[in-house]
Coordinates of all heavy atoms in Angstrom, one line a residue:
G154 N 0.8 -1.2 0.0 CA 0.0 0.0 0.0 C 0.8 1.3 0.0 O 0.3 2.3 0.3
L155 N 2.1 1.2 -0.4 CA 2.9 2.4 -0.4 C 3.3 2.9 -1.8 O 4.2 3.7 -2.0 CB 4.2 2.2 0.4 CG 4.0 2.1 1.9 CD1 5.4 1.8 2.6 CD2 3.3 3.3 2.5
A156 N 2.6 2.4 -2.8 CA 3.0 2.7 -4.2 C 2.9 4.2 -4.5 O 3.7 4.7 -5.2 CB 2.1 1.9 -5.2
D157 N 1.9 4.8 -3.9 CA 1.7 6.3 -4.2 C 2.3 7.2 -3.1 O 2.1 8.4 -3.1 CB 0.2 6.5 -4.3 CG -0.4 5.8 -5.5 OD1 0.3 5.6 -6.5 OD2 -1.6 5.3 -5.4
A158 N 3.0 6.6 -2.1 CA 3.5 7.4 -1.1 C 4.7 8.2 -1.6 O 5.5 7.7 -2.4 CB 4.0 6.5 0.1
D159 N 4.9 9.3 -1.0 CA 6.1 10.2 -1.4 C 7.3 9.8 -0.6 O 7.5 10.4 0.5 CB 5.7 11.7 -1.3 CG 6.8 12.6 -1.8 OD1 7.7 12.1 -2.5 OD2 6.8 13.8 -1.4
L160 N 8.0 8.8 -1.0 CA 9.1 8.2 -0.2 C 10.4 8.6 -0.8 O 10.6 8.9 -2.0 CB 9.0 6.7 -0.2 CG 7.7 6.1 0.4 CD1 7.8 4.5 0.2 CD2 7.5 6.5 1.8
P161 N 11.5 8.7 0.0 CA 12.8 8.9 -0.5 C 13.2 7.7 -1.4 O 12.6 6.7 -1.4 CB 13.7 9.0 0.8 CG 12.7 9.3 1.9 CD 11.4 8.6 1.5
G162 N 14.3 7.9 -2.2 CA 14.8 6.9 -3.0 C 15.2 5.6 -2.3 O 15.6 5.7 -1.1
Q163 N 15.0 4.5 -2.9 CA 15.3 3.2 -2.3 C 16.7 3.2 -1.7 O 17.0 2.6 -0.6 CB 15.1 2.0 -3.3 CG 15.5 0.7 -2.7 CD 15.4 -0.4 -3.7 OE1 15.0 -0.2 -4.9 NE2 15.7 -1.7 -3.3
H164 N 17.7 3.7 -2.4 CA 19.1 3.6 -2.0 C 19.7 4.8 -1.4 O 20.9 5.0 -1.3 CB 20.0 3.2 -3.2 CG 19.6 1.8 -3.7 ND1 20.1 0.7 -3.1 CD2 18.9 1.4 -4.8 CE1 19.6 -0.4 -3.7 NE2 18.9 0.0 -4.8
D165 N 18.8 5.7 -0.9 CA 19.1 6.8 -0.1 C 19.4 6.4 1.3 O 18.5 6.3 2.2 CB 18.0 7.9 -0.1 CG 18.4 9.1 0.6 OD1 19.5 9.2 1.2 OD2 17.5 10.1 0.7
A166 N 20.7 6.1 1.6 CA 21.0 5.5 2.9 C 20.6 6.4 4.1 O 20.3 5.9 5.2 CB 22.5 5.1 2.9
A167 N 20.7 7.7 3.9 CA 20.3 8.6 5.0 C 18.9 8.4 5.4 O 18.5 8.7 6.5 CB 20.6 10.0 4.6
A168 N 18.0 7.9 4.5 CA 16.6 7.8 4.7 C 16.2 6.4 5.3 O 15.1 6.2 5.7 CB 15.8 8.1 3.5
W169 N 17.2 5.5 5.3 CA 16.9 4.1 5.7 C 16.3 4.0 7.1 O 15.3 3.3 7.3 CB 18.1 3.3 5.5 CG 18.5 2.9 4.1 CD1 17.7 3.2 3.0 CD2 19.7 2.2 3.7 NE1 18.4 2.7 1.9 CE2 19.6 2.1 2.3 CE3 20.8 1.7 4.3 CZ2 20.5 1.5 1.5 CZ3 21.8 1.1 3.6 CH2 21.6 1.0 2.2
P170 N 16.8 4.7 8.1 CA 16.2 4.6 9.4 C 14.8 5.0 9.5 O 13.9 4.3 10.1 CB 17.1 5.5 10.3 CG 18.4 5.5 9.6 CD 18.1 5.5 8.1
A171 N 14.4 6.1 8.8 CA 13.0 6.5 8.8 C 12.1 5.5 8.1 O 11.0 5.2 8.5 CB 12.9 7.9 8.2
L172 N 12.6 5.1 6.9 CA 11.8 4.1 6.2 C 11.7 2.8 6.9 O 10.6 2.1 6.8 CB 12.5 3.8 4.8 CG 12.5 5.0 3.8 CD1 13.4 4.8 2.7 CD2 11.0 5.3 3.4
R173 N 12.7 2.4 7.7 CA 12.6 1.2 8.5 C 11.5 1.4 9.5 O 10.7 0.4 9.8 CB 13.9 0.9 9.2 CG 13.8 -0.3 10.2 CD 15.1 -0.4 11.0 NE 16.2 -0.5 10.1 CZ 16.6 -1.6 9.4 NH1 15.8 -2.7 9.6 NH2 17.6 -1.6 8.6
E174 N 11.4 2.5 10.2 CA 10.3 2.7 11.2 C 8.9 2.7 10.5 O 8.0 2.1 11.1 CB 10.5 4.1 11.8 CG 11.7 4.1 12.8 CD 11.6 3.1 13.9 OE1 10.5 3.0 14.5 OE2 12.6 2.5 14.2
K175 N 8.8 3.2 9.3 CA 7.6 3.1 8.6 C 7.2 1.7 8.3 O 6.0 1.3 8.5 CB 7.6 3.9 7.3 CG 6.4 4.0 6.5 CD 6.5 4.8 5.3 CE 6.5 6.3 5.6 NZ 5.2 6.8 6.1
L176 N 8.1 0.9 7.8 CA 7.8 -0.5 7.5 C 7.5 -1.3 8.8 O 6.6 -2.1 8.8 CB 9.0 -1.1 6.8 CG 9.3 -0.7 5.3 CD1 10.4 -1.5 4.7 CD2 8.0 -0.8 4.5
A177 N 8.3 -1.0 9.8 CA 8.0 -1.7 11.1 C 6.6 -1.5 11.6 O 6.0 -2.4 12.1 CB 9.1 -1.3 12.2

């Protein structure tokens, strides 16, 4: 359900912690 979400790029390592929290 995140296809239309405005997310940082997949390989933007700086964004990984925040994206992890979202997935968790």
Side-chain angles (χ1 to χ4, degrees):
L155 291 179
D157 298 324
D159 185 17
L160 300 178
Q163 177 184 1
H164 293 284
D165 180 359
W169 285 353
L172 290 170
R173 175 187 305 282
E174 289 301 317
K175 181 179 287 291
L176 291 184

